[in-house]
Amino acid sequence: MSKINVLIGFIKLDMDACKKAGEKLLNRAWWFKLASIAISFFITIILGITLNTEENLFGINAGMFVKNTAVILSALLTAINTWDAFGNFQTRSSQETAMINKLNMLLRDICLYIEKNDNCSSEKYNEFKQRYNSIQEEYVLERSSKDEDNSENKNTEEGK
């Protein structure tokens, strides 16, 4: 198997991994947004309910029950939105998609080159390999910078 075919194999593996990771992250982002919308909806409904404060619900004063339920749901909403911001799932999904696009362009260029040339020259292979390495380095730097940003934000908040 030629070196260029091995490189193509690595590119395809990376594209598959990014696709799976991107879909997983996008699903998480979607569920967090859906949960946030649903809980906000219920908080609004609960706060809009007008009850006779003399009534009892589940053995608790109705007004107190509604207030406590709204507070608990608000706390849950805060936790969900905070976790969503911390996880940054939407942005990370976009990073995976960008990675797939870059790898796809590289793969396309390799395939077009191979179509025109029976043998891949050593210089051309090194050029393709360098592009692949650059894409990988950019991906790692982008991900690590996002992790550092989250870490710095967390440390800043803890120091307050």
Side-chain angles (χ1 to χ4, degrees):
M1 183 179 266
S2 70
K3 293 191 297 186
I4 198 73
N5 288 333
V6 172
L7 181 59
I8 288 171
F10 280 121
I11 293 169
K12 288 180 178 179
L13 283 173
D14 286 344
M15 288 172 68
D16 287 342
C18 286
K19 182 179 179 186
K20 288 177 186 173
E23 288 172 353
K24 185 177 178 182
L25 291 165
L26 192 58
N27 285 337
R28 281 187 183 169
W30 190 85
W31 281 107
F32 273 96
K33 298 294 184 219
L34 183 63
S36 178
I37 291 166
I39 293 171
S40 296
F41 170 80
F42 287 119
I43 291 170
T44 303
I45 296 297
I46 288 171
L47 291 175
I49 293 174
T50 304
L51 294 174
N52 182 350
T53 55
E54 302 299 321
E55 292 181 27
N56 284 326
L57 292 171
F58 307 109
I60 303 172
N61 177 282
M64 209 49 151
F65 177 79
V66 168
K67 177 184 173 191
N68 290 341
T69 302
V71 168
I72 290 168
L73 287 175
S74 294
L76 181 60
L77 179 63
T78 300
I80 287 172
N81 287 334
T82 302
W83 189 253
D84 184 35
F86 180 75
N88 209 7
F89 302 116
Q90 185 73 42
T91 300
R92 290 173 50 202
S93 174
S94 296
Q95 289 172 337
E96 298 297 330
T97 301
M99 177 72 165
I100 292 170
N101 291 336
K102 290 173 188 174
L103 290 171
N104 194 36
M105 287 190 304
L106 174 59
L107 183 61
R108 183 200 63 216
D109 290 347
I110 291 172
C111 290
L112 289 173
Y113 176 81
I114 290 173
E115 184 69 29
K116 292 180 184 177
N117 303 288
D118 291 337
N119 294 325
C120 183
S121 69
S122 184
E123 294 98 24
K124 201 62 178 171
Y125 169 78
N126 289 336
E127 178 187 321
F128 290 137
K129 179 72 168 84
Q130 180 56 40
R131 280 179 59 191
Y132 175 74
N133 289 342
S134 295
I135 291 168
Q136 292 293 331
E137 289 171 15
E138 183 181 328
Y139 176 78
V140 169
L141 286 173
E142 193 173 87
R143 290 299 295 264
S144 64
S145 70
K146 296 295 181 193
D147 291 343
E148 287 174 9
D149 289 346
N150 283 340
S151 174
E152 287 175 12
N153 289 341
K154 184 178 177 186
N155 290 338
T156 303
E157 289 173 5
E158 287 176 356
K160 289 182 179 179

